[in-house]
Amino acid sequence: MKGGGGGKEPPVEGEISGKRPKRKCLQWHPLLAKKAPDFSEEEEEEDEEELEKEPVLCTESVAQEGVCGGIEDDNEEYSSEQRARRPMNAFLLFCKRHRSLVRQEHPRLDNRGATKILADWWAVLDPKEKQKYTDMAKEYKDAFMKANPGYKWCPATNKPVKSPSHSVSNSRKKVWSLPSNPNKDPSVAKKQAKTDSTPQLNFAMADPNKMGGLSMLLLAGEHALTAREISSSSSQTGCTDVAKHTGKSALFQLAEISSSPVQPAGGSKNAEDTSSLTHVEASGPSQPSSPDLPKSCVKSPLFQLAEISSSRSQSASEGRQCGQSALFQLAEMCLASEAEKIEARSSQPSGGSSSLCAQHSSISTAIPDHEEQRDAPELPLTTSSSSTSGSTSSSPTDAIPSDISPCKTQKKKKKKKENKESDENPPSPKKAKKRQSSESDLDSVMFTIEAVAKGTWGSEETPKKKARPSECESSPSTDQSPSVKKKKSKPKKQLKLKDDATEEEEEGDEEANKPQDVEMKTEEAPLTPKAECENEPDLEVEPPIGVEDMEPHCSPLQPTELEEKDTDTKPPQTTQEDKDLEVKPENCGSRKSERSCKGALYKTLVSEGMLTSLRANVDRGKRGSMRGSVSDHEGGWNDESWGFSQAATSNPKKLKKSKSKEETAPGLGKLEEEFEKKFNSLPQYSPLTFDKKSVAVTKKKKSSTSSLPEPPKPCKGSSSSQKKTLFHKIVNKYKHRKEKSSAADKDIATPDPMVTESSPVKSGSPCVSPSLEPQKVLDTPVGSQKRKARKSKITHLVRTADGRVSPAEAEDKSKDQTKNQDEKPFTQETLCNSGVCYNDPRSAEVDAPDTSGGLPAFFSLAALAEVAAMENVHRAQRAVSIPTEGQVKDMAPVLISCADQ
DNA sequence: AAGAATGAAAC
DNA sequence: GTTTCATTCTT
């Protein structure tokens, strides 16, 4: 595999890699390299650099934070600037996935040129495939939106100039939508601020920025909870509402999951986590002073949680909390305990879970002091509910919000970024969190926590999920959450070895891994069935595999990987964990009790899903098992991933800078991973196919209009017969596209008798149904074509009786046909086998259900995802094949159409 | 920084 | 309808 792939890409990559540095964003991290980094060496180096750099970055970006490692909660400031990036649309996804391929083939080509080609490809793409991308995009978007309820694509054009006053007001309102974005959520908050997302007020959560990943999780969970529970009350939270509606979008699920209790994987992990927590606490973000504890830059989730809880308490004075997750309560408990100590411990924390609410009140009072420590500044969450809070929060936060709120029309992102409101953030104190209390306090806290855990928690948690792979998960989770920074070296190596599998890998967590993974994936992606087939001889072999295709596609890599990983990782993980436990104790130093406490906490957290990492791991484990099934694919967004990602993202640093490609910052890993997985799962068409098409088209173009940009695509051998069928389709589409682009030119007129011809040819292949294609084309408008003259295009498209279109197409087709004829057999077979049957979407659709493999694009991803999720739980495989009612509905039209035909 | 493409959202 | 911005990366 690699050989081929490597051969191809390497050069390009190498080039790229050299260039990569460009991005500023990257600074902070290896991700930058992401693309280039295919090679392990590079990666490693990068990793190292990264490690080193991180601090620097931290310093740069957030000088104050100091705790680079620490989770930078603070970064809100930065975050302010960074708004979450919009989710990519289908086309972008497609581009992202295929650009490398294009480049490989046409190294010379500029990106622009590549983009054009990609556009062409896109135009040609089968509706089904497009749909996949579209679905994915949608899913992604949905998840994203859930994560960031108030997110707006456009920064609120400032037009109105919200003006500062607004900003202030906004700041209050704002409550922060959930930050948890894959990357940049924080920014979102800002946006919202400006926008005023009124609805969210209720949530008034702590700033995500401040909060660690956990916070994100919590938020997510809370949202979920709130949505469910509060739904009645909160008409406000659009997000929540949405979540409900979708019910199952992956993201939503994620939220749910987070909320739902999960069993901690192994005790071992717990220990680790706890230890890490202790470290964190002790070391505290800002306070390095703690001698005992090793300063782990990374904050423990727990710590974050505590922060969060504290923040929440502030913001949300309301009683809602009670309802909220046990985790939250726990956090509160912790805080309370601390507060008590500080104040003098009038009451004991042990209050018990049941009493939590009451405690909350007390806590809230106590908290204020803590708040100072906390980074209240941005919490602007402005506890919607708490009347007072608004005022208080406003003052500190105001500044930030103002910046954010305005959305400044900054025309360009960069500007915005630059603008960063960092100024305001000065927030010196944010980091302060670490509490003086330090260990002793911790102990007390722990105690309380334990009590809580035992008492309330146990009862509450009832449902704990099964830990399926919890073990596996656990290890990773631990790794991830706690040691975000960790070294990547290992992971990289592993990754290299495993290549694909790495994603979930055990250690991996970190950023490095992700990037690598991503890269790996991307690289591999080509290798993936389709691409690979074409490139390499393997094709034959694959085809069979491909049969199931659609998903398999995606899965192909994953499954193996996952499995391997799972198997491999699990054992190791456990071992590692054990080791960690052993080791950690040292770190932790004395205090077993704490540990134990922590352990309890950890459990609780886990149960709650707070520990995203664990969850993610678990999920992954599931996935691994599931892998084969379609569900993976579509199921797509695992909650975990999001949660995780969120958590990861939580880190401001990354978020901000992460812009670079994956950006997905290291931390996010999981989320990204999943994203990537899905992304990878997306079918990657071999360039050859496209090329051929393109070539054919080009030729035409050339002949007709010299205007083709991408004349030369090498037709590497028609060898890539597989996709040829696609090819045809593509050709058709392609025609359209060209028409569009050059359309004006004039091709229009030519009749395309050929079309018919082509169809016959296609017809030859079982899968393909020529007639359908045109329809497809028609059905799926090539695209918005907003910019170009689509009208002309449309006009151009002369439909034949069949509905086929433009003349150009005919010609192309004819060409294609000729080519195809030779190759077709394979392609068809393969395709058919694969179940993809690009040719006929409909047929495919119809078939799809039957053939588990081919997922009909038609099914809404959401539906699929849901189904998958549902099924996954029970069984991992093929659930997808069975359409849900919703799916059926979706299909209905198609079916009908088919029937008509 | 501009630009190529498409699409989704916001205006 | 138009504008913005998402991604990538060369020029």
Side-chain angles (χ1 to χ4, degrees), chain A residues 1 97 132 498-501 503 521 524-533 541-565 623-624 626-630 632-634 676-684 834 836 838 853 855:
Chain A
M1 296 175 54
R97 183 156 175 82
K132 290 178 182 176
K498 293 178 180 178
D499 293 354
D500 312 353
E503 296 175 352
K521 291 177 179 178
E524 290 176 355
L527 295 182
T528 57
K530 295 177 180 178
E532 289 176 354
C533 293
V541 172
E542 290 178 354
I545 293 168
V547 172
E548 294 172 2
D549 270 347
M550 305 293 294
E551 296 173 358
H553 246 337
C554 308
S555 57
L557 296 178
Q558 295 173 344
T560 57
E561 292 175 354
L562 294 178
E563 291 175 355
E564 290 176 356
K565 289 179 180 178
R623 289 181 184 174
M626 309 278 310
R627 247 305 153 266
S629 65
V630 172
D632 288 353
H633 250 325
E634 304 206 356
E676 289 179 356
K677 287 180 180 177
K678 291 182 179 178
F679 177 81
N680 289 345
S681 69
L682 291 176
Q684 210 170 4
S834 64
V836 173
Y838 295 92
L855 294 181

Side-chain angles (χ1 to χ4, degrees), chain A residues 598-610:
Chain A
K598 290 178 181 178
L601 241 180
Y602 179 83
K603 289 179 180 177
T604 55
L605 292 176
V606 171
S607 65
E608 291 236 344
M610 293 306 292

Side-chain angles (χ1 to χ4, degrees), chain A residues 91 94 115-127 130 690 693 697 701 726-741 773 776-778 780-783 785 788 793 809:
Chain A
F91 175 69
F94 177 82
T115 302
K116 288 179 181 177
I117 292 172
L118 287 170
D120 289 348
W121 288 13
W122 179 249
V124 177
L125 217 76
D126 261 6
K130 273 190 183 174
F690 290 101
K693 296 176 183 177
V697 172
K701 289 180 181 176
L726 270 182
F727 196 45
H728 292 292
K729 293 178 180 178
I730 291 168
V731 171
N732 292 344
K733 292 179 180 177
Y734 184 73
K735 292 175 183 176
H736 291 291
R737 188 169 181 324
K738 285 192 171 179
E739 289 176 353
K740 290 188 213 168
S741 62
E773 290 177 356
K776 290 179 180 177
V777 172
L778 294 178
T780 57
V782 173
Q785 301 172 339
K788 294 184 176 175
K793 191 176 34 170
E809 290 177 354

Side-chain angles (χ1 to χ4, degrees), chain A residues 54-55 58 65-73 280 284-285 295-300 304 481-485 651-654:
Chain A
E54 288 178 352
C58 295
E65 293 171 358
V67 179
C68 315
I71 304 179
E72 40 305 42
D73 315 2
V280 173
K295 327 169 173 175
S296 55
C297 299
V298 175
K299 292 177 181 179
S300 65
Q304 293 174 346
S481 62
S483 63
V484 172
K485 294 179 180 177
N651 297 350
K653 302 184 227 168
K654 294 176 180 178

Side-chain angles (χ1 to χ4, degrees), chain A residues 838-880:
Chain A
Y838 295 92
N839 296 344
D840 274 51
R842 296 175 187 162
S843 63
E845 291 174 354
V846 172
D847 293 352
D850 294 352
T851 55
S852 61
L855 294 181
F858 295 77
F859 295 111
S860 62
L861 291 181
L864 291 176
E866 290 178 358
V867 173
M870 297 296 289
E871 292 178 353
N872 285 348
V873 175
H874 301 293
R875 55 151 164 193
Q877 306 145 344
R878 303 253 170 206
V880 174

Side-chain angles (χ1 to χ4, degrees), chain A residues 286-546:
Chain A
S286 61
Q287 297 172 341
S289 64
S290 63
D292 303 296
L293 305 180
K295 327 169 173 175
S296 55
C297 299
V298 175
K299 292 177 181 179
S300 65
L302 180 60
F303 177 81
Q304 293 174 346
L305 181 145
E307 291 176 353
I308 294 166
S309 64
S310 66
S311 65
R312 281 192 85 160
S313 63
Q314 288 179 338
S315 65
S317 58
E318 354 63 266
R320 192 185 310 99
Q321 298 166 342
C322 297
Q324 297 178 340
S325 67
L327 181 60
F328 177 80
Q329 293 175 350
L330 183 144
E332 290 178 353
M333 295 297 291
C334 295
L335 293 177
S337 65
E338 289 179 354
E340 289 176 355
K341 290 178 180 178
I342 294 167
E343 289 177 353
R345 312 180 177 173
S346 58
S347 62
Q348 293 177 340
S350 61
S353 61
S354 63
S355 62
L356 293 179
C357 296
Q359 289 178 345
H360 285 290
S361 63
S362 65
I363 292 166
S364 63
T365 57
I367 291 166
D369 295 349
H370 290 289
E371 287 179 353
E372 293 175 353
Q373 293 174 342
R374 256 191 326 170
D375 314 346
E378 292 177 349
L379 295 179
L381 299 181
T382 70
T383 62
S384 59
S385 64
S386 64
S387 61
T388 58
S389 65
S391 64
T392 58
S393 65
S394 66
S395 64
T397 55
D398 291 354
I400 293 166
S402 62
D403 293 352
I404 297 164
S405 62
C407 294
K408 304 175 180 173
T409 56
Q410 311 145 334
K411 301 171 181 177
K412 298 178 178 183
K413 304 171 184 177
K414 292 179 181 178
K415 291 178 181 178
K416 291 178 181 177
K417 293 176 181 177
E418 290 175 356
N419 291 348
K420 299 176 180 179
E421 293 78 348
S422 60
D423 299 352
E424 294 172 354
N425 303 349
S428 47
K430 294 176 180 179
K431 308 169 188 150
K433 313 180 170 176
K434 353 185 150 170
R435 300 154 173 162
Q436 333 81 332
S437 60
S438 70
E439 296 176 352
S440 63
D441 291 352
L442 292 176
D443 292 348
S444 64
V445 172
M446 295 303 294
F447 175 81
T448 53
I449 292 168
E450 287 179 348
V452 172
K454 291 177 181 178
T456 308
W457 287 89
S459 63
E460 291 176 353
E461 291 176 353
T462 58
K464 299 178 179 180
K465 292 179 177 178
K466 348 168 155 187
R468 248 200 199 179
S470 58
E471 293 175 355
C472 299
E473 293 173 352
S474 66
S475 64
S477 65
T478 56
D479 293 350
Q480 294 174 340
S481 62
S483 63
V484 172
K485 294 179 180 177
K486 283 187 174 184
K487 317 151 178 151
K488 304 169 176 180
S489 63
K490 292 178 180 178
K492 291 178 181 177
K493 291 177 181 177
Q494 292 175 343
L495 294 176
K496 292 176 180 178
L497 296 177
K498 293 178 180 178
D499 293 354
D500 312 353
T502 55
E503 296 175 352
E504 277 125 330
E505 64 303 17
E506 24 336 45
E507 305 146 45
D509 32 274
E510 301 89 309
E511 311 164 336
N513 291 348
K514 293 179 180 179
Q516 292 174 343
D517 291 351
V518 170
E519 292 175 353
M520 296 298 293
K521 291 177 179 178
T522 56
E523 291 175 353
E524 290 176 355
L527 295 182
T528 57
K530 295 177 180 178
E532 289 176 354
C533 293
E534 293 175 355
N535 296 345
E536 297 175 354
D538 294 351
L539 298 180
E540 294 175 353
V541 172
E542 290 178 354
I545 293 168

Side-chain angles (χ1 to χ4, degrees), chain A residues 26 28-32 34-35 50 85 88 93 96-97 136 140 143-144 180-185 251 254 480 484 488 500 502-505 508-522 558 561 565 612 616 620 623 627 632-633 636-651 653-682:
Chain A
L26 303 184
W28 62 284
H29 171 24
L31 292 182
L32 303 182
K34 164 180 131 171
K35 284 184 176 179
E50 291 174 353
R85 283 176 201 44
M88 293 187 280
L93 287 172
K96 186 173 183 178
R97 183 156 175 82
M136 169 142 184
Y140 184 79
F144 178 88
S180 57
N181 273 347
N183 298 335
K184 329 121 186 210
D185 298 352
L251 193 117
L254 183 152
Q480 294 174 340
V484 172
K488 304 169 176 180
D500 312 353
T502 55
E503 296 175 352
E504 277 125 330
E505 64 303 17
D509 32 274
E510 301 89 309
E511 311 164 336
N513 291 348
K514 293 179 180 179
Q516 292 174 343
D517 291 351
V518 170
E519 292 175 353
M520 296 298 293
K521 291 177 179 178
T522 56
Q558 295 173 344
E561 292 175 354
K565 289 179 180 178
T612 50
R620 288 181 182 176
R623 289 181 184 174
R627 247 305 153 266
D632 288 353
H633 250 325
W637 311 91
N638 293 345
D639 298 350
E640 320 103 356
S641 65
W642 281 94
F644 186 106
S645 64
Q646 291 175 345
T649 44
S650 63
N651 297 350
K653 302 184 227 168
K654 294 176 180 178
L655 295 177
K656 292 180 180 178
K657 300 180 177 177
S658 62
K659 295 177 181 177
S660 60
K661 8 177 137 188
E662 289 354 11
E663 294 117 357
T664 63
L668 301 183
K670 297 187 171 166
L671 187 156
E672 288 181 353
E673 287 179 356
E674 288 192 355
F675 174 83
E676 289 179 356
K677 287 180 180 177
K678 291 182 179 178
F679 177 81
N680 289 345
S681 69
L682 291 176

Side-chain angles (χ1 to χ4, degrees), chain A residues 549-624:
Chain A
D549 270 347
M550 305 293 294
E551 296 173 358
H553 246 337
C554 308
S555 57
L557 296 178
Q558 295 173 344
T560 57
E561 292 175 354
L562 294 178
E563 291 175 355
E564 290 176 356
K565 289 179 180 178
D566 292 351
T567 57
D568 294 352
T569 59
K570 290 178 180 178
Q573 289 176 346
T574 56
T575 58
Q576 290 175 345
E577 291 176 354
D578 294 348
K579 290 178 181 177
D580 291 349
L581 292 176
E582 293 174 354
V583 173
K584 289 183 178 179
E586 294 174 354
N587 294 344
C588 295
S590 54
R591 45 190 111 111
K592 292 176 181 177
S593 63
E594 289 178 356
R595 273 196 185 176
S596 62
C597 296
K598 290 178 181 178
L601 241 180
Y602 179 83
K603 289 179 180 177
T604 55
L605 292 176
V606 171
S607 65
E608 291 236 344
M610 293 306 292
L611 299 182
T612 50
S613 64
L614 292 178
R615 271 181 186 270
N617 292 339
V618 171
D619 290 357
R620 288 181 182 176
K622 289 178 181 178
R623 289 181 184 174

